[in-house]
Amino acid sequence: MLLSIQHVSLPIEDPVLKFLIELIIILCIPLLLNKIKVPHLLGLIIAGAVIGPNGFNVLARDSSVVVTGTTGLLYIMFLAGLEIDMGDFKKNKWKSITFSLYTFIVPFALGLIGGYYVLHFSLLTSVLFASLFSSHTLIVYPMVSKLGIAKKLAVNVTVGGTMITDVLSLVVLAVVVGMSQGEVGTSFWVTLSASMLVFALVVLLLFPIIARWFFKNVEDKISQYIFVIVMIYLAALLAELAGIEAIIGAFFAGLALNRLIPHTSSLMNRVEFVGNAIFIPFFLISVGMLIDFNAFIQSWETLGVASIMLIASIGGKYAAAILTKKTFNFTDDEGRLIFGMSAASAAATLASVMVGYNIILSENEAGEPVRLLNEHVLNGSILLILVSCTISSFVSMASAQRIADADKEETAAGTGDEEEKILLAVNHEHTVEKMVNLGLLIKNKSNKDKIFALNVINEEKSESSSKNAEKLLGEAVNMGAAADVKINPITRHDNDVIAGVNNVVKEQNITDLIIGLEEEKGFSPSFIYNLYNGYLQNKHINLIIYHAVQPVSTIKKYVVLIPADAEREPGFFHCLLRIWNIGKNSGAKMSFYANDKTLDVLKSIIKKANIEAVFNAVTSWQEAENMASSLEEDEGLIILMADRGMHSYFPQMKEVPEILNKKLHNNNYLLIYPFSKIDNTVIEKRSVSNLDDFADIGKIIGQIFK
């Protein structure tokens, strides 16, 4: 082995040494470029050019590079579909469509004029040439997402528009290829339309059913991650079979699994971590390996073609971004972010060029092949990829950073001094994972280390033990770490479990206490006694009783029941934040049932913090109770309980546990008891603080407590 390394020839073929070199690049480039404020993805592309076959030929762009690079490209598109806020996407679909038309038509028109009138290509070649500039690759999306602005309207519109423009440009490719081979006719259009429709239906309808079954029945974390990768590649393969590019399949796979992988879950953390650490950097290096600087030195014609391509692509995307900004009154930074994210050309552009280059129309007099797209376009596209990715990186990161900084200032100005602190009272092994997942779901995005897991040891009554506490708390800590959240373990010896919990609540200034119900027992008589005579006696915390029979990620819809006058409770908005976070982080549809007065409050909030929700007016608690009783499979229930002391609003509230035991033992449900005793100065803090997305919520609170 030592002898073989001593006599290394270029390109390097030893698999260990090849992989080591690539990993060193992935490790060192970001560390170096972050110091000089240069986006590291640009450095990875340049590094690929330097070590690639057209540079120093250290590494060949062989099948291993292509496979990992292809996975990285699919990963980028998958993450874009996975992280898109479906509620916002549906709400703003016309904005996405408008943007996609701008960003498709303007560059296409410039490219068509440049190809047909300036470069004197044939009409068919000019159409394909023009389509190269209409698509774009979300190469900076992972970096924008890291800044915490992935749910911004400008980002949402750009991601939605990307799907449409890429589909349109690849349809143009399919049509032009068909026409160049004389295959376009009625049967061609029928076949293409039918195959695309079948593909979309299979991925968007069948994939969620398969995934929901899998996540409900397979708990192994590694198997869940591998399942996600399988779904990405399966969707990519189905897209190719339908006659469109694999990247569209990966994006659709992201949309299909969007609601089944909560954004705060450990699985989402794994998906993002592996993609950002390995696959996406490999894709960027593989793109860099395509760059051949010699081609631009040796041929003025290549530079001329490349200039036309840059003007059509970059100029067209800039014009489209300006049109979108003015149409929808985006800020200057949002307009620049739209331009930056849509400026990069890589995936669909490269795919179209390679297909066009490989199609030979005829031969010239010298016997050389006449291609649909010649080598000048091929080399020009490589320069386009380099320049567009460079511009995209700098513009996107600069504008995204300013937007993120502005959000932080706004959040800091609108929040009080209160820290969110969530306590999980873990007593049973089979409820630990469910409670941790709920805690991750309801917490605020900024809360990374203020979740506590408690096990109370009562040796006199043989309740738990030091060994059992270590096991349960260790499991909770590990689950939190998998989601990049620190869970603080607390072991407490006490002669009474309730006293132990209440003492920890006071000592740690807990804001939210989560108690898990055993699946088989539900609300047992002893638990109900402890609830009303123990936990509910602490009126300064938000209490959540959680019953889970299936993973929270597999719940399609929650029915949310809110009693009349609930908005008068001091902890109403604090509880509402928890419900909103469930809808926002899980993607589940929220169906609210309340009286008109309460619904007016909810509708005011959703204008500022959109989730996918419907509002249903009820005039009596019996109506709401009937809706809860008709829950179907994969649906959950959330009840915001009334005043915990005298149940003055609805005496029937005390009967809720018994009803749940009888009718909903096969469904997930949460009972949320808002805190009810606090002085007025803290009411405002607790109602407003940490509501990151609830802009102007203070005005609504002011109207209610006026």
Side-chain angles (χ1 to χ4, degrees), residues 503-579:
N503 287 332
V504 171
V505 166
K506 295 174 184 176
E507 292 165 2
Q508 299 294 338
N509 294 318
I510 297 298
T511 58
D512 299 85
L513 171 63
I514 300 178
I515 305 290
L517 291 175
E518 293 186 73
E519 185 177 330
E520 302 81 8
K521 295 182 179 179
F523 281 96
S524 63
S526 60
F527 182 87
I528 293 177
Y529 177 85
N530 290 336
L531 174 65
Y532 287 107
N533 295 283
Y535 300 121
L536 289 178
Q537 296 304 307
N538 190 335
K539 301 180 184 298
H540 296 80
I541 59 167
N542 182 46
L543 175 65
I544 300 175
I545 308 298
Y546 183 41
H547 175 264
V549 297
Q550 65 185 81
V552 70
S553 62
T554 61
I555 301 296
K556 293 188 291 187
K557 178 182 124 177
Y558 285 96
V559 171
V560 184
L561 309 184
I562 302 179
D565 293 328
E567 64 271 14
R568 290 169 48 192
E569 300 259 12
F572 172 72
F573 284 98
H574 190 92
C575 291
L576 212 55
L577 170 61
R578 303 297 169 231
I579 296 172

Side-chain angles (χ1 to χ4, degrees), residues 30 64 100 121 156 183-184 239 332 422 425 430 546 548-549 606 640:
S64 64
S100 66
F121 291 154
N156 200 286
E183 297 177 357
V184 175
D332 290 340
I422 299 173
H430 60 273
Y546 183 41
V549 297
I606 204 169
L640 186 59

